[in-house]
Amino acid sequence: MDIGMVGLGRMGANMVRRLMLGGHRCVAYDRAVASVAALAAEGAVGADSPQALVAALPAPRLVWLMVPAGIVDRAIEDLLPHLQPGDTIIDGGNSNFQDDIARATRLRERGLHYVDCGTSGGVFGLARGYCLMIGGDAEVVQRMRPLFEVLAPGAGAAPPTAGRPRTDSTADHGFLHCGPAGAGHFVKMVHNAIEYGMMQAYAEGFNILRHANAGQRAREIDAETTPLKHPEHYQYDFDVGEIAELWRRGSVIPSWLLDLAAQALAESPTLEGYAGRVSDSGEGRWTLAAANDLGVPIHVLASAVFERFTSRGEADYANKMLSALRKQFGGHVEKPHT
């Protein structure tokens, strides 16, 4: 099949490479000329503008966007003057599912199709494949199946689930048509919120292990310091990296995230070079909003999202207020950071 890719960043470029390995013809465009040239040297058709990309594709065209959520609408507007009825735009980034619903309606009025495809796999997707969560009209999604089959990991990526009754689903191949417009990004939104929660659980667990030697350190004795009642209980100097490696084998908490944690600790046992400022790209916030609309409690996921805000200093003012209140009602003098 012929496919155009707009956005050749960490994921888009490797998706083009995987598609080309699968025998598909790819037309690639990015504002970064060097990124286009690199893929053209590997066999892609390079385009220097959205217009050139569309012109290089046979009708009905398939144009896949791998750009940040904040510029998807701009990318669509750049393409619209050059597209024709019957063409399809696929958004493979991390858009809000509500935006997908509006875009699908707007494009349908112009005779265009819109598919939202939540894409998970990160920088390892070229080798491992991408988990694809797809929303849109069933007929259009079915027509794109050869592309999804190449991008997805395939059935061999995980052992079959015992007793699973479905035989007509593509989920065990790593891609699934989840429903109409917005469904793919809704599923990806929740996926990423779960990712936040899992990452937070690992981070907090490893942090406890790292502090398990607190009994070896002298602690100030004053009204502002909670005493460690039994310092003899906390005399453990754990090699956190070795524990991560241990847990990867035979425990009940293994995952690819744990594999990556073990790799990170092997590269930097103290995680030197990381400031601990954790970004969020929106999916966790949108999951909280959806849970609020639906009346569904998500205590762990909410905590993980808020912890990311805290890591970026967004709780600093609140913490200053707490210190101010303690001084006001009890004369407590704030202790300096150590």
Side-chain angles (χ1 to χ4, degrees), residues 199-233:
M199 291 170 68
Q200 189 67 30
Y202 283 127
E204 292 180 7
F206 285 125
N207 200 28
I208 293 173
L209 291 172
R210 188 170 184 273
H211 285 82
N213 63 357
Q216 300 175 14
R217 300 190 298 272
R219 297 169 69 89
E220 295 184 40
I221 301 175
D222 55 41
E224 309 305 322
T225 305
T226 303
L228 185 60
K229 187 173 182 180
H230 290 287
E232 69 275 14
H233 292 173

Side-chain angles (χ1 to χ4, degrees), residues 11-335:
M11 292 181 67
N14 278 343
M15 291 172 70
V16 169
R17 293 184 174 101
R18 190 170 173 95
L19 286 165
M20 290 194 297
L21 287 171
H24 297 289
R25 176 178 177 268
C26 297
V27 183
Y29 168 70
D30 192 287
R31 288 179 296 177
V33 176
S35 298
V36 177
L39 283 174
E42 297 177 37
V45 178
D48 59 7
S49 67
Q51 180 178 4
L53 178 136
V54 172
L57 292 169
R61 300 167 186 84
L62 298 173
V63 181
W64 193 306
L65 306 179
M66 285 302 293
V67 299
I71 63 172
V72 169
D73 287 317
R74 187 196 316 165
I76 291 175
E77 291 303 314
D78 289 342
L79 290 164
L80 281 181
H82 316 295
L83 296 175
Q84 298 175 350
D87 292 346
T88 300
I89 294 176
I90 307 100
D91 178 10
N94 284 323
S95 288
N96 189 310
F97 75 97
Q98 296 176 1
D99 293 335
D100 293 320
I101 296 171
R103 288 170 188 149
T105 300
R106 186 170 72 251
L107 294 176
R108 190 179 300 116
E109 294 171 352
R110 304 183 64 146
L112 300 171
H113 305 293
Y114 179 82
V115 171
D116 53 284
C117 183
T119 307
S120 181
V123 297
F124 294 90
L126 175 58
R128 291 169 53 99
Y130 300 89
C131 179
L132 305 173
M133 298 148 265
I134 308 159
D137 294 339
E139 180 182 347
V140 178
V141 172
Q142 178 62 26
R143 191 161 69 239
M144 295 178 60
R145 179 165 177 159
L147 300 174
F148 299 139
E149 288 176 336
V150 167
L151 288 170
T161 298
R164 181 170 176 267
R166 291 289 300 273
T167 59
D168 60 340
S169 173
T170 60
D172 56 353
H173 290 266
F175 68 97
L176 182 69
H177 180 213
C178 300
H185 278 148
F186 191 100
V187 174
K188 179 57 160 46
M189 172 186 76
V190 176
H191 164 283
N192 281 23
I194 292 171
E195 176 186 302
Y196 285 21
M198 292 175 66
M199 291 170 68
Q200 189 67 30
Y202 283 127
E204 292 180 7
F206 285 125
N207 200 28
I208 293 173
L209 291 172
R210 188 170 184 273
H211 285 82
N213 63 357
Q216 300 175 14
R217 300 190 298 272
R219 297 169 69 89
E220 295 184 40
I221 301 175
D222 55 41
E224 309 305 322
T225 305
T226 303
L228 185 60
K229 187 173 182 180
H230 290 287
E232 69 275 14
H233 292 173
Y234 301 100
Q235 298 285 326
Y236 303 113
D237 288 309
F238 290 120
D239 187 326
V240 178
E242 287 300 289
I243 292 171
E245 197 66 31
L246 169 70
W247 284 347
R248 296 180 61 220
R249 294 165 174 82
S251 81
V252 298
I253 59 167
S255 72
W256 187 38
L257 287 173
L258 181 59
D259 295 343
L260 296 176
Q263 182 64 48
L265 290 166
E267 294 171 357
S268 177
T270 62
L271 300 182
E272 185 178 353
Y274 296 95
R277 186 186 186 280
V278 188
S279 299
D280 75 290
S281 54
E283 298 86 356
R285 304 184 193 205
W286 303 336
T287 302
L288 297 187
N292 185 64
D293 288 343
L294 298 170
V296 176
I298 53 169
H299 306 290
V300 172
L301 305 187
S303 175
V305 173
F306 294 148
E307 184 59 31
R308 293 195 176 199
F309 299 165
T310 299
S311 78
R312 304 198 297 265
E314 301 300 338
D316 288 355
Y317 183 83
N319 290 332
K320 290 178 180 179
M321 180 59 73
L322 290 173
S323 287
L325 289 171
R326 292 186 79 246
K327 184 175 182 180
Q328 290 293 322
F329 68 68
H332 300 279
V333 177
E334 185 177 70
K335 298 187 70 172

